[in-house]
Amino acid sequence: MYGKRKINRIYAKYLASRYAGRKSRSRKKRRQRVLSVVLLLTGVAVLYGKKPPVLCFSQQGYEKIAELIKKGHRSGKEEETLLVRYVNAPGGYLAISHASGDVPVYVEPEKKEETELISVRDVLEERFGDLEHVDFKSFLSNYYIEDVSTRATEDIFQIENLLKYDLTIKKTDEPQILIFHTHASEGYADSRPGVMEDTVVGAGEILANELRNKYGYQVIHEKTVFDRKKDGTDDRNNAYNNALPVVTSILEKYPSIEVVIDLHRDSGDARTSVINGVNTAKIMLFNGLCRTKDGPISYYSNKNLQGNLAFSLNLQITGNELYPGLMHRIYLKSYRYNMHLKEKYLLVELGTHKNTVEEAKAAMAPFAKALAAVLSEKE
C-alpha cells in the first residue's frame, strides 16, 4: 500500500507540473522519475515474490505511462515493461500490476453484469391474490407438470412455506456452486459424435463461466461421465448410483458449496423460445417427490424436499419474469434423484434431443442471470 501511495503522489505531482507550464526539461525529468519509481517498486516486488502495488490510472494517465515506458527502452536491450490488468472502476480505470511483456493497448474494462432482483411473492400475489387461499389445482397447473407415476399433494406445496426459504448465498473465495451431469453423454440434434463440447457438458461449461465471470461466484464443474460403461455403452440405469458417491465426496471436501446443479437434456419434441432475438432451448426444472401416486416411497427420504421445491419455484418464476418463455413448467416425478444432498439442488432439463447445440448453449447466459437473481442478497 505504501508503494502504491508513493507512486500515486509522484504521478499527481507530475500532472500538476505539466498543467502548471513547467519547462519541458523539468517535465521530462519528472516523467523519468515516475517511470523509474514504477519500475523500481514493481521490480522489487517481483524479485521478492510479493504482489506489486496495483495502480489505477485513467485512460489519459495510462497513455502517458505507456509512452514513458516505450521511451525508456534502450536500444538493443530487452527491458521489462508493465502488464495491465483491467478492473471494474468508475471512468474506465485500469490497474498496472506487474512487470512483464510489451506495453498493451488500452482497452475499456468489461462491465460486470448487474443482477436484477425479482419479487416472487409479488408475482404470485398479482396472479392469485391472497396466497393463504390459493386454489391448489390452479397453482399446480400454472407452474408444474405432474408425471403419472406420482401425485402432488397440497400439504407439500404450501406457498407461504415455500416463500419463507432464504435462498441467497454470500460470495466468498471458497467453492459455492457445483455443476455436474448425471447423464453427461446427452447431446443434441446436431451434436458431433464423441465431442464432449456438443453435449450437456459443453453447455455446463458455459454456465460455469457465466456464473464465475459475470456474477462472481466460485464454481466447480465436474465433468465425469456417469452414464457410460468403460466399453462405451450406455449405463443410464445406474447413472444416479454412480454419481452419488462422487458428488457426496465433493460436497464433503468443499463444505462451502451451497448450490448443486445437475444439468441434463430431455427427450421429445424440441422446446424453443426466442430470447433477445435468438432461438433458445427452453429450460425445464425437475423435482423428485419421493412418492408414487399411492403415497410416500418407504425406502427414500429427502429432508431437503421443501427447500428443493422452494428453489425450483423461485427460479422458474424469476426466469420467466426476466426472460418470458425461457422456463418450461417444472416436472414432478416420483423418485429422489440425489436431490436430498442439498437444499439448493437443481435438476435441470436443458432442451430436448431435437434442439440444437447452439440453442442449448444460448440458454446458459439468461439462465445464469436468473440464478444469480435468486441467489443474490436482497437490499
Side-chain angles (χ1 to χ4, degrees):
M1 290 300 295
Y2 173 75
K4 175 182 176 181
R5 288 196 298 270
K6 184 173 182 180
I7 296 172
N8 283 338
R9 284 200 302 272
I10 293 172
Y11 185 65
K13 289 180 181 179
Y14 152 69
L15 287 178
S17 68
R18 177 171 177 263
Y19 289 109
R22 300 275 181 89
K23 293 181 180 181
S24 60
R25 181 178 298 178
S26 175
R27 290 201 299 270
K28 184 176 181 180
K29 287 182 178 179
R30 288 184 180 278
R31 290 179 183 178
Q32 289 172 343
R33 281 202 293 270
V34 173
L35 174 61
S36 298
V37 174
V38 169
L39 292 178
L40 176 62
L41 290 177
T42 304
V44 169
V46 172
L47 179 64
Y48 286 95
K50 303 292 185 182
K51 284 187 176 181
V54 174
L55 312 175
C56 288
F57 298 104
S58 65
Q59 179 174 359
Q60 183 182 17
Y62 166 69
E63 288 171 349
K64 283 296 179 185
I65 291 293
E67 178 184 342
L68 293 175
I69 294 170
K70 290 175 181 176
K71 287 184 178 179
H73 280 212
R74 297 174 184 173
S75 177
K77 183 179 178 181
E78 183 179 352
E79 292 189 358
E80 289 186 321
T81 57
L82 297 176
L83 179 68
V84 170
R85 176 171 59 85
Y86 301 105
V87 296
N88 253 348
Y93 278 57
L94 52 85
I96 297 177
S97 58
H98 61 86
S100 175
D102 296 326
V103 179
V105 177
Y106 180 86
V107 178
E108 286 287 341
E110 180 183 352
K111 293 183 179 179
K112 292 288 184 182
E113 187 81 17
E114 292 185 4
T115 303
E116 184 177 347
L117 305 182
I118 302 295
S119 171
V120 172
R121 175 178 290 278
D122 287 351
V123 174
L124 288 170
E125 286 180 345
E126 184 178 345
R127 174 164 291 186
F128 298 110
D130 181 6
L131 299 185
E132 292 284 358
H133 302 92
V134 176
D135 179 73
F136 175 61
K137 289 185 178 179
S138 177
F139 170 69
L140 199 67
S141 64
N142 268 274
Y143 295 111
Y144 298 94
I145 299 171
E146 196 176 15
D147 188 81
V148 294
S149 67
T150 194
R151 184 169 64 90
T153 56
E154 193 168 355
D155 61 305
I156 299 175
F157 291 89
Q158 292 293 317
I159 297 178
E160 287 291 356
N161 185 50
L162 297 180
L163 291 180
K164 77 178 184 181
Y165 281 84
D166 181 7
L167 301 172
T168 62
I169 63 175
K170 294 182 180 297
K171 294 179 182 178
T172 69
D173 293 331
E174 299 295 321
Q176 299 165 291
I177 300 174
L178 169 65
I179 299 173
F180 80 103
H181 313 271
T182 299
H183 296 153
S185 65
E186 289 177 328
Y188 294 92
D190 57 347
S191 293
R192 293 165 292 179
V195 179
M196 182 172 282
E197 182 185 349
D198 289 0
T199 67
V200 289
V201 179
E205 186 64 13
I206 294 174
L207 176 60
N209 287 329
E210 288 282 325
L211 292 170
R212 291 183 191 118
N213 300 332
K214 286 189 178 180
Y215 303 102
Y217 294 105
Q218 305 302 317
V219 183
I220 293 175
H221 185 199
E222 174 59 47
K223 301 177 183 179
T224 300
V225 179
F226 298 110
D227 59 339
R228 286 279 170 88
K229 297 178 182 177
K230 291 182 179 180
D231 62 4
T233 57
D234 286 345
D235 191 20
R236 297 288 172 83
N237 291 336
N238 292 312
Y240 285 97
N241 291 333
N242 295 338
L244 181 58
V246 175
V247 176
T248 301
S249 176
I250 294 172
L251 295 179
E252 289 174 350
K253 183 177 180 181
Y254 301 104
S256 55
I257 292 175
E258 296 185 58
V259 178
V260 178
I261 302 172
D262 184 5
L263 187 61
H264 291 246
R265 177 232 67 204
D266 204 4
S267 58
D269 292 336
R271 292 197 286 264
T272 309
S273 187
V274 178
I275 307 296
N276 295 330
V278 177
N279 285 342
T280 304
K282 291 173 75 74
I283 291 170
M284 183 177 75
L285 303 179
F286 184 108
N287 282 111
L289 298 182
C290 295
R291 61 177 296 131
T292 68
K293 58 185 178 181
D294 298 319
I297 299 175
S298 59
Y299 50 89
Y300 279 138
S301 64
N302 180 3
K303 65 179 182 180
N304 291 318
L305 176 59
Q306 288 293 294
N308 297 161
L309 294 173
F311 197 25
S312 61
L313 178 62
N314 273 265
L315 184 53
Q316 204 272 351
I317 292 174
T318 299
N320 270 339
E321 287 296 306
L322 293 174
Y323 301 100
L326 174 66
M327 309 297 293
H328 199 59
R329 286 184 297 161
I330 302 166
Y331 200 87
L332 303 174
K333 206 168 181 180
S334 52
Y335 294 107
R336 189 171 61 178
Y337 308 99
N338 293 336
M339 300 186 75
H340 64 294
L341 293 175
K342 280 290 177 181
E343 189 173 85
K344 290 186 277 289
Y345 193 116
L346 295 172
L347 199 161
V348 182
E349 299 282 5
L350 175 57
T352 78
H353 74 290
K354 291 188 177 181
N355 280 104
T356 66
V357 173
E358 185 177 1
E359 289 168 347
K361 291 182 176 181
M364 293 296 88
F367 182 61
K369 184 171 183 175
L371 184 59
V374 173
L375 298 176
S376 293
E377 294 183 281
K378 311 299 186 286
E379 295 181 356

